[in-house]
Amino acid sequence: PISSWDEVSWEIRSPFVVPALRWVLRGLIQSGHLTAIEDMNADFSSGVVLTNDIYYWDAANLQPYEVLDLRELMRKKRANKEDIEDSEDEIEMSEYEKARAERVARNAERLKALGLA
């Protein structure tokens, strides 16, 4: 048994390099990561592929990327932050939280008195 994947190496014999690469490319085309502009012929002499990313997308097979409006995102983020702050004010502290807050305040005063804060 192999104890680590670091010990594993893959080798492709020379006559099978092109078929192996074409097999990987066909998988990427099928998954939508690449688009075949020209079909890959069985004789391995041609075939053109492009990546499906922000710079190119195939209108027949893929939807374009959504353009983000940064101002709208910031507005939503601020609104959510305000909602969270409002809800925190409305939540009543438990007895434990109140006692802890008192201890924290008391410790802060001690540190100030000692000149450490």
Side-chain angles (χ1 to χ4, degrees), residues 17-34:
V17 169
V18 173
L21 288 173
R22 293 176 90 60
W23 184 80
V24 169
L25 288 173
R26 280 195 304 274
L28 290 170
I29 290 168
Q30 192 172 19
S31 69
H33 290 90
L34 297 176

Side-chain angles (χ1 to χ4, degrees), residues 17-71:
V17 169
V18 173
L21 288 173
R22 293 176 90 60
W23 184 80
V24 169
L25 288 173
R26 280 195 304 274
L28 290 170
I29 290 168
Q30 192 172 19
S31 69
H33 290 90
L34 297 176
T35 296
I37 303 301
E38 289 181 10
D39 288 334
M40 292 187 290
N41 296 329
D43 64 356
F44 308 123
S45 63
S46 68
V48 177
V49 294
L50 286 176
T51 60
N52 287 322
D53 58 15
I54 194 167
Y55 304 108
Y56 171 81
W57 61 278
D58 183 4
N61 297 322
L62 299 172
Q63 297 297 321
Y65 289 102
E66 199 174 300
V67 177
L68 299 177
D69 183 3
L70 293 179
R71 283 182 246 147

Side-chain angles (χ1 to χ4, degrees), residues 78-91:
R78 273 188 243 117
N80 285 342
K81 188 176 180 181
E82 289 170 2
D83 289 345
I84 290 171
E85 288 173 358
D86 290 345
S87 66
E88 286 176 358
D89 293 341
E90 296 170 3
I91 297 174

Side-chain angles (χ1 to χ4, degrees), residues 2-10:
I2 297 171
S3 61
S4 169
W5 283 107
D6 296 334
E7 300 172 13
V8 176
S9 67
W10 288 84

Side-chain angles (χ1 to χ4, degrees), residues 68-77:
L68 299 177
D69 183 3
L70 293 179
R71 283 182 246 147
E72 182 65 26
L73 288 175
M74 293 304 289
R75 238 180 268 126
K76 287 180 182 178
K77 189 174 181 180

